[in-house]
Amino acid sequence: MRDLYITNTLSRQKELFKPINPGLVGLYVCGPTVYGDAHLGHARPAITYDVFVKLLRAIGYKVRYVRNITDVGHLEHDADEGEDKIAKKARLEQLEPMEVVQEYTERYHAAMRELNVAPPSIEPRASGHIIEQMAVVRKILDAGYAYESNGSIYFDVEKYNKDHKYGILSGRNLEDTLEGTRNLDGQSDKRAPFDFALWKKASPEHIMHWPSEWSEGFPGWHLECSAMSEKYLGKEFDIHGGGMDLMFPHHECEIAQNTASRGTSGVHYWMHNNMITINGKKMGKSLGNYITLFDLFSGNNNVLSQAYSPMTIRFFILQAHYRSTLDFSNEALQAAEKGLAKMLQAAKDLKSLQAKGQKNEEVAQIYEKCYEALCDDLNTPIALSHIFDAVRIINSVKGGQMQICADDLAILNKIFDEILFGILGIKDEAASEGKSAAVIDGLMKMVLAERAEAKASKNWAKSDEIRDKLSALGITVKDGKDGAEWSI
Ligand code: ZN
C-alpha cells in the first residue's frame, strides 16, 4: 500500500494517513442541503471526495463512505420571513415537505450522475434519524452540557469550554465567536449568544416536527452529522470532510457534541475543500451570480456565455488543488474545455499507436508521478500536468518524431484507464453517448426482428403488442418496403 498524506485541518499539517482499522476506512462527508437545486458550489466537495475515495480504493483500502442528505429544515431561516426554506416552498406550492425534499434529492442525484460522481456507500437522511439525534441530545443533557429553555435544548458552550476547549478546529475562541453573532428572533431562549440549538421547539407555522420528551420540535442542524457518523462509522472514525464554510460553526459544533455525548471528538483527520468564487466574488442569489449545475449543463444563465459539459466542469475543478480557492469564469472554463479535449483526443490516438522501438524511461516515471501527486494531499492539478506529459509523448509518436515499445504502450494505457478515467473519474462523454446509441440501435434491431417474425407467422396480436409497448416508450415504428423503421 502506498503512503498517503492528507492535510489535517485539526493539526494544520500534512500528515501520513494511518487508518484506525486498515481493513476498512471510515469517511464521513457533509452532503447537500436539499432545499433547492444543486449549484456550482455542490460540485466541488462531491467531486473532491469522489476522487479521494477512488484513490483510497485504488491504493488498496476498503472504504465506507457516508454522505448525508440534510432534509430537515434547520435554523437557517429565510431572512425576510423567519420561516424555514423547505416549509416555505411547501406552503407556497401546497406540497408535503417531503415532496420538496424528494424532488431536490432526485435532481441532486441526477446532477451527480452527470458529473460522474459515484454514490456514497451510505446516504443517510437527517429526517430518517430523529431517534438517534434525540438520543444524542439526551446524552449531552445527562452529561451536563446542555440546558432546556421553553421546550428547546441548547448546548452550553461556556461550560463546555471550561472543561474542554471549544474552537480547536477553527482556532477561534469564545470572544471571536461573539463577533458577528446576531441575536435573531426566537433565539432569545439562549443563555449566551454562542450557544447553539440541539433541539428546537417548533413554532405553529413550522411544518416539519416530531414529538420528543421536551417539545414537539425538530433537531438543530449540527446534530445530524454527530448522530449519523456515530451510527454508521462508530464513536471514532478516520476522516471527516466537507467544505471550508462548514468548519465553523458546523464542524466545531460537531466536535463539541461528540465530546460531550461520547467522550471523544470522534474524528482523526478533518479535510476541508476550499470554495468556488465567480469572477472573484462569492456566489449568492443576492449577488445575481447564482449558477445551478443544470444551468451550467444547458448554458441557460446570464453569467454563462455557453453551455459547459459536466466533464468540463469536473476537469476544471480537478485543475485546482482542493484546498485552494477556484475562480469560475467563462474564460477559465473554456480553457478547461480545450485541455480536456486535448487529453481525450490523445486517449483515442493511443489506441491506434503501433509498438516499435526502445523503452522510454519517462513513461513509467509519469505513471509513478501521477500516484505520488495524488497521494500527496490529493494534488490533482499536478497529476493532470503529468498526464499532459503523456499526451505530449502520444502526440510525438503519432507525429512520427518518436517511437514507443509495447511495454510503454501498456503503461500509457494504464495512465489513462487507471488514473484519468479511473481515479480522476473523467469520461469521454461523446464516446459514451455514441456507445449508448449503438446499444439502443442493437436492441431495436432485436425487437423489430422479433416483431417481423410474429408478422411472418401471422401472429398479429404479438406484433401489435410489440408496437404498442414501443409506442408507450415514445418509440414510433413505421412499416416500409425494406422492413420497419423506428424513431424516438
Ligand atoms: Zn455535517
Side-chain angles (χ1 to χ4, degrees):
M1 214 168 278
R2 288 167 189 271
D3 281 351
L4 168 67
Y5 289 85
I6 47 182
T7 296
N8 191 348
T9 316
L10 207 52
S11 67
R12 288 157 186 82
Q13 270 168 14
K14 212 186 272 181
E15 293 178 21
L16 176 64
F17 174 60
K18 289 186 204 133
I20 298 167
N21 165 12
L24 180 64
V25 171
L27 168 68
Y28 186 95
V29 173
C30 291
T33 49
V34 283
Y35 299 171
D37 229 350
H39 55 73
L40 183 57
H42 285 107
R44 197 169 194 193
I47 290 169
T48 299
Y49 298 105
D50 183 53
V51 171
F52 185 56
V53 168
K54 284 171 173 154
L55 174 67
L56 282 166
R57 288 181 178 148
I59 62 174
Y61 288 110
K62 264 187 89 170
V63 185
R64 183 179 295 156
Y65 174 23
V66 182
R67 187 187 66 204
N68 68 305
I69 295 266
T70 296
D71 61 352
V72 175
H74 62 69
L75 296 176
E76 271 189 7
H77 285 146
D78 192 305
D80 312 324
E81 306 263 341
E83 188 179 9
D84 175 88
K85 286 174 193 165
I86 291 182
K88 186 180 177 185
K89 185 171 161 69
R91 184 176 55 75
L92 291 177
E93 298 181 16
Q94 292 191 308
L95 294 164
E96 158 66 30
M98 285 310 270
E99 275 184 281
V100 181
V101 161
Q102 185 74 32
E103 181 195 332
Y104 286 128
T105 305
E106 293 298 340
R107 285 179 67 83
Y108 176 76
H109 286 158
M112 290 304 115
R113 277 193 298 275
E114 292 287 333
L115 291 167
N116 204 23
V117 168
S121 327
I122 305 176
E123 191 171 47
R125 291 173 165 220
S127 64
H129 297 76
I130 303 296
I131 290 169
E132 287 83 351
Q133 295 182 69
M134 290 196 293
V136 178
V137 177
R138 180 38 55 212
K139 280 186 194 154
I140 298 174
L141 275 168
D142 290 348
Y145 292 112
Y147 57 90
E148 182 171 355
S149 175
N150 288 326
S152 294
I153 309 292
Y154 293 97
F155 193 93
D156 189 340
V157 174
E158 199 153 23
K159 170 147 193 231
Y160 174 85
N161 190 50
K162 274 185 197 135
D163 302 340
H164 311 277
K165 204 180 150 349
Y166 181 76
I168 52 171
L169 187 66
S170 58
R172 297 189 191 208
N173 56 35
L174 277 195
E175 291 79 66
D176 292 342
T177 65
L178 270 178
E179 277 171 40
T181 314
R182 285 179 301 155
N183 224 337
L184 295 170
D185 286 343
Q187 297 197 352
S188 49
D189 295 342
K190 296 198 285 189
R191 284 182 198 161
F194 38 63
D195 291 349
F196 57 90
L198 297 172
W199 186 263
K200 198 88 174 98
K201 183 182 173 178
S203 53
E205 61 279 6
H206 198 100
I207 49 181
M208 271 180 135
H209 46 78
W210 291 263
S212 77
E213 57 179 297
W214 314 290
S215 63
E216 182 77 21
F218 55 97
W221 169 41
H222 312 307
L223 198 58
E224 64 184 69
C225 294
S226 282
M228 296 190 291
S229 62
E230 181 178 0
K231 179 168 172 122
Y232 297 111
L233 297 172
K235 283 192 192 321
E236 278 191 58
F237 59 94
D238 296 300
I239 311 160
H240 193 315
M244 210 164 259
D245 53 335
L246 296 178
M247 190 160 67
F248 187 88
H250 184 54
H251 293 156
E252 204 69 81
C253 294
E254 260 186 77
I255 291 177
Q257 290 165 162
N258 295 353
T259 309
S261 67
R262 56 195 206 230
T264 159
S265 65
V267 180
H268 286 204
Y269 302 84
W270 284 90
M271 273 176 92
H272 289 98
N273 64 276
N274 215 319
M275 311 316 287
I276 291 185
T277 54
I278 296 179
N279 298 314
K281 288 193 200 107
K282 210 179 150 183
M283 186 175 88
K285 278 195 174 139
S286 56
L287 297 168
N289 63 356
Y290 188 84
I291 310 174
T292 72
L293 287 170
F294 288 106
D295 287 349
L296 281 163
F297 304 159
S298 68
N300 187 16
N301 185 308
N302 289 337
V303 179
L304 304 171
S305 58
Q306 63 171 86
Y308 297 100
S309 78
M311 275 313 110
T312 301
I313 295 156
R314 187 170 179 119
F315 190 78
F316 168 69
I317 287 174
L318 295 179
Q319 275 185 313
H321 188 260
Y322 76 95
R323 297 181 64 243
S324 24
T325 54
L326 175 59
D327 191 44
F328 170 98
S329 67
N330 282 292
E331 296 71 32
L333 267 181
Q334 283 155 6
E337 190 174 62
K338 280 198 192 115
L340 175 64
K342 223 173 138 186
M343 229 173 229
L344 293 175
Q345 185 56 47
K348 257 187 236 157
D349 293 340
L350 173 61
K351 301 290 171 207
S352 53
L353 295 187
Q354 298 299 317
K356 200 159 83 180
Q358 303 288 309
K359 183 140 186 68
N360 177 351
E361 294 302 331
E362 196 193 349
V363 177
Q365 283 166 8
I366 292 172
Y367 175 76
E368 230 7 77
K369 281 179 184 169
C370 284
Y371 270 104
E372 270 170 30
L374 291 172
C375 290
D376 179 16
D377 200 20
L378 204 64
N379 203 328
T380 56
I382 298 290
L384 283 174
S385 74
H386 293 311
I387 300 175
F388 271 119
D389 287 336
V391 169
R392 178 177 43 78
I393 291 174
I394 290 167
N395 290 340
S396 299
V397 176
K398 190 188 168 196
Q401 299 98 319
M402 205 191 250
Q403 293 185 335
I404 191 123
C405 68
D407 277 1
D408 287 344
L409 266 184
I411 301 173
L412 282 175
N413 273 298
K414 267 169 71 172
I415 292 172
F416 282 86
D417 295 339
E418 201 177 295
I419 298 168
L420 184 69
F421 300 130
I423 300 172
L424 297 175
I426 294 293
K427 64 176 183 186
D428 189 340
E429 288 160 321
S432 47
E433 268 165 31
K435 245 180 238 164
S436 321
V439 168
I440 292 172
D441 217 54
L443 285 171
M444 282 307 298
K445 279 200 181 102
M446 274 167 59
V447 173
L448 292 178
E450 197 169 327
R451 181 165 168 267
E453 215 174 281
K455 277 179 127 180
S457 56
K458 299 201 162 37
N459 186 347
W460 309 117
K462 172 112 190 235
S463 78
D464 286 351
E465 187 195 339
I466 292 175
R467 190 199 53 212
D468 293 347
K469 280 187 175 165
L470 288 172
S471 162
L473 292 169
I475 297 170
T476 318
V477 178
K478 267 194 197 134
D479 291 305
K481 273 179 274 169
D482 310 320
E485 282 179 7
W486 64 275
S487 59
I488 297 178

